[in-house]
Amino acid sequence: ENADEHALYLRTVNHWLGFKTKHPLTRHSWDYKGYTRTGAAPMYAMLDEPEKALGQLQQYFDLYLYPNTFYLETGPVIETPLSSAAATQELLIQSWGLKDYATDMIRLFPGVAKAWPEARFDNLRAEGGYTVSAVWKEGATRAFRITADRERDLQLRYRGEVTDSISTTRGSLWQQAEKNGWQVIRVRLKVGESLVYGAAVQFKKPVPDAERGRADFHFGRNRQCDGALNFEDN
């Protein structure tokens, strides 16, 4: 919210990623690993730097991740692949409490870079007790549905056009303003009530049937295989 603080936080993250360290005992070079990249991606997303956020995640995918989604340093490291999944979600949605947690903040698609022409998710959870679905297309948020589990004040931020087609399912009033390139919606939702925009949009994109023998490996693979399930080493 504060320009000086924002500049300080951004400079701090940039410094951290550019800082070369030495191992405290051997004094040998101790370069950053995959966990650094999965941590930096959501930090950049929070700081409204989507290109840098995706760049950090892409470095993790390109430099550290094995084809079967595993990750290795001195031994197998399970928390880094799991954190990459969490970081990917934080490019789509981030949430936290404001004003001593009296108000909940939800930001849609904070880390979606220009390389992503389309993004969507269905029924992800947000802090404060919300179920959220949303669609991003052609550089803007095109639809969302946010359902409250309990009655609380919500501040929603999304990038897109001002629209009067936003509604609430139980009649709660909402206010809209623009701040720092974000559309800001303020509303107090009742239990079970939804804030809706683009109700006709499909939040969950249909997945075509996978080509048998090739795309059925949803969790990755170490070796290529042909349609007859004959494997070849990469």
Side-chain angles (χ1 to χ4, degrees):
E1 299 297 326
N2 181 287
D4 291 336
E5 290 183 354
H6 182 277
L8 174 61
Y9 298 157
L10 182 58
R11 187 165 69 250
T12 300
V13 176
N14 289 338
H15 175 71
W16 166 53
L17 291 172
F19 190 70
K20 297 300 181 183
T21 61
K22 296 289 185 180
H23 191 283
L25 297 179
T26 66
R27 308 305 298 171
H28 292 157
S29 178
W30 198 14
D31 292 333
Y32 298 115
K33 301 299 182 182
Y35 204 70
T36 303
R37 307 304 172 187
T38 64
M43 290 182 186
Y44 274 132
M46 184 178 291
L47 291 166
D48 299 336
E49 295 282 350
E51 305 301 325
K52 291 182 178 180
L54 181 59
Q56 290 296 316
L57 203 57
Q58 196 64 57
Q59 286 189 59
Y60 169 70
F61 292 150
D62 291 345
L63 301 178
Y64 304 102
L65 194 65
Y66 283 79
N68 62 357
T69 73
F70 287 174
Y71 172 77
L72 186 70
E73 289 182 14
T74 56
V77 183
I78 187 60
E79 68 269 21
T80 306
L82 296 178
S83 70
S84 73
T88 302
Q89 291 188 31
E90 288 210 45
L91 303 192
L92 304 176
I93 180 174
Q94 291 185 328
S95 59
W96 57 82
L98 299 173
K99 299 178 181 178
D100 295 328
Y101 297 95
T103 301
D104 302 313
M105 161 79 82
I106 296 177
R107 300 201 312 166
L108 299 179
F109 305 111
V112 174
K114 294 179 181 178
W116 285 3
E118 182 178 349
R120 66 180 67 210
F121 61 87
D122 188 39
N123 289 340
L124 292 183
R125 301 291 290 175
E127 185 171 332
Y130 303 91
T131 303
V132 186
S133 304
V135 172
W136 170 277
K137 193 173 183 179
E138 297 175 349
T141 302
R142 302 297 178 182
F144 55 75
R145 182 186 63 232
I146 302 173
T147 305
D149 288 348
R150 52 182 176 165
E151 185 170 342
R152 287 178 58 83
D153 291 324
L154 170 65
Q155 184 179 137
L156 169 69
R157 296 194 177 192
Y158 70 94
R159 287 194 168 90
E161 299 177 352
V162 176
T163 176
D164 58 2
S165 62
I166 296 173
S167 63
T168 55
T169 56
R170 297 187 181 177
S172 293
L173 300 178
W174 52 273
Q175 297 177 326
Q176 184 168 14
E178 187 172 358
K179 186 172 185 179
N180 298 330
W182 292 88
Q183 298 298 330
V184 182
I185 304 292
R186 291 179 173 86
V187 63
R188 185 175 183 86
L189 295 175
K190 302 179 180 70
V191 176
E193 186 175 22
S194 298
L195 181 69
V196 180
Y197 167 49
V201 172
Q202 179 99 19
F203 293 112
K204 183 181 291 186
K205 189 171 184 178
V207 179
D209 293 336
E211 180 182 356
R212 183 171 178 80
R214 292 183 180 272
D216 288 339
F217 297 88
H218 301 297
F219 298 99
R221 59 178 184 267
N222 279 323
R223 295 177 291 173
Q224 302 286 353
C225 68
D226 60 23
L229 297 181
N230 297 313
F231 290 87
E232 295 178 356
D233 290 328
N234 280 335

